[in-house]
Amino acid sequence: MHLAPRVLRRAISAATIALLATAVGCAPQPEEKASDQASGSTGATCAKGKLATQTSGKLTIATDEPAYEPWFEDDKPANGKGFESAVAYAVAKQLGYDKSAVVWQSVPFNKAFAPGVKTFDFDINQVSISTERKKAVDFSSGYYDVRQAVIALKGSKAAKATSIAGLKGLKLGAQVGTTSLNYISDVVKPTRQEAAFSKNDQAVSALKNGQVDAIVVDLPTAFYITSAEVTNAKIVGQFENQGGTPEQFGLVLDKGSDLTSCVSSAVDALRKDGTLAALEKQWLSDAVDAPVLK
């Protein structure tokens, strides 16, 4: 990702400004990182509990509403239950903020990574890291490797599909702005126009009502939907990762945020010490197996 030179905040003299501006302008810019690498500033100070956050001494974390299982429980991000809630608090602790210092904020999924100044320190909401999204926001290192999966009602034609070719003639749906929808258009390339929904629960309702033959969601969500929300549905299969690198969820930060490197370091530490793996096992243990669609 290419970062704009930092604006000089204080002028010592006109000559010094000119010299510094020339040096910054000629400096080589960092190349686009792979999806599992962080973007954003690398010059921030990461003193525990003393980051330049939205509110001094507090860490503001955003997610969508409703907050779905298995990522959250009981639609209450602040309770620490569910994979992403647990990850959020683990990152906060790593940064030096205890649970009482965390403030939760509701931000719609698409707005989280849209251009514009953010009101949160970071957002956690199953947002996949992508080159396109990095044009508008920063991402932390990836905290979860994810695959996309197809859900259909048991006994339906869609439920019998064993390959991508078997999905091409179906009416497929997914939440707008997601990689789930991208997999429909870019991987399946169906002969019928895909359906885009503003929320996953709308996609689930469309599946129940027969408005679509199948929906695409991330694999852990697929396991939850088929076990708790639509028990007469099944996971048809999961897609392979595209392009040789795993799709990853990352924490979303303001473009050029001074917190990006600190948050990424926190995520990296949690991956290294086994915390992320332990939380994944605790909250996403069911999402381990599904047929691969090729």
Side-chain angles (χ1 to χ4, degrees):
M1 183 184 66
H2 301 282
L3 299 177
R6 181 172 295 210
V7 177
L8 297 175
R9 296 179 179 177
R10 294 185 178 181
I12 299 174
S13 68
T16 303
I17 291 175
L19 180 60
L20 289 174
T22 301
V24 174
C26 295
Q29 299 299 295
E31 296 180 359
E32 180 67 55
K33 302 293 184 182
S35 64
D36 62 346
Q37 297 297 311
S39 50
S41 170
T42 58
T45 174
C46 300
K48 288 186 178 295
K50 298 181 180 180
L51 304 183
T53 54
Q54 294 284 336
T55 301
S56 180
K58 300 288 185 179
L59 188 67
T60 303
I61 304 176
T63 195
D64 201 355
E65 185 179 7
Y68 297 104
E69 297 189 28
W71 311 104
F72 301 91
E73 277 198 3
D74 303 322
D75 192 19
K76 296 178 180 179
N79 65 14
K81 298 179 180 180
F83 179 69
E84 289 194 325
S85 180
V87 168
Y89 281 117
V91 171
K93 183 178 180 180
Q94 194 72 29
L95 293 172
Y97 296 88
D98 61 24
K99 194 170 183 177
S100 64
V102 172
V103 178
W104 284 92
Q105 185 180 101
S106 176
V107 174
F109 178 80
N110 286 332
K111 189 175 180 181
F113 52 86
V117 177
K118 306 307 176 190
T119 57
F120 50 77
D121 293 312
F122 68 76
D123 178 277
I124 183 167
N125 190 24
Q126 307 113 64
V127 182
S128 295
I129 301 169
S130 73
T131 301
E132 184 63 28
R133 289 172 179 171
K134 282 185 179 182
K135 294 177 182 178
V137 295
D138 281 356
F139 281 97
S140 71
S141 301
Y143 62 87
Y144 179 67
D145 297 353
V146 65
R147 286 194 175 190
Q148 299 299 318
V150 180
I151 301 174
L153 297 181
K154 295 175 181 177
S156 66
K157 179 181 178 181
K160 299 174 184 177
T162 58
S163 66
I164 292 174
L167 301 172
K168 287 188 178 294
L170 304 177
K171 181 70 173 180
L172 305 175
Q175 184 176 344
V176 68
T178 62
T179 51
S180 302
L181 191 60
N182 292 341
Y183 266 73
I184 295 176
S185 57
D186 300 340
V187 178
V188 179
K189 299 177 181 178
T191 56
R192 301 174 64 183
Q193 179 66 42
E194 64 267 18
F197 303 94
S198 61
K199 298 278 188 180
N200 257 344
D201 53 1
Q202 294 176 354
V204 170
S205 294
L207 178 65
K208 289 179 178 178
N209 298 332
Q211 296 171 278
V212 294
D213 298 311
I215 60 175
V216 178
V217 296
D218 58 77
L219 187 56
T221 299
F223 273 93
Y224 173 73
I225 289 174
T226 54
S227 65
E229 292 189 327
V230 192
T231 55
N232 64 329
K234 62 172 286 187
I235 297 175
V236 178
Q238 61 179 309
F239 294 106
E240 293 181 301
N241 288 317
Q242 302 300 302
T245 56
E247 177 186 347
Q248 292 187 313
F249 291 158
L251 305 176
V252 182
L253 298 96
D254 204 356
K255 183 71 172 176
S257 172
D258 283 341
L259 301 182
T260 303
S261 61
C262 301
V263 173
S264 284
S265 293
V267 173
D268 292 341
L270 294 172
R271 184 177 291 277
K272 185 176 181 179
D273 70 12
T275 298
L276 291 181
L279 292 177
E280 183 177 332
K281 183 178 181 180
Q282 178 181 359
W283 298 107
L284 305 178
S285 58
D286 288 338
V288 294
D289 189 30
V292 177
L293 300 169
K294 298 181 179 180

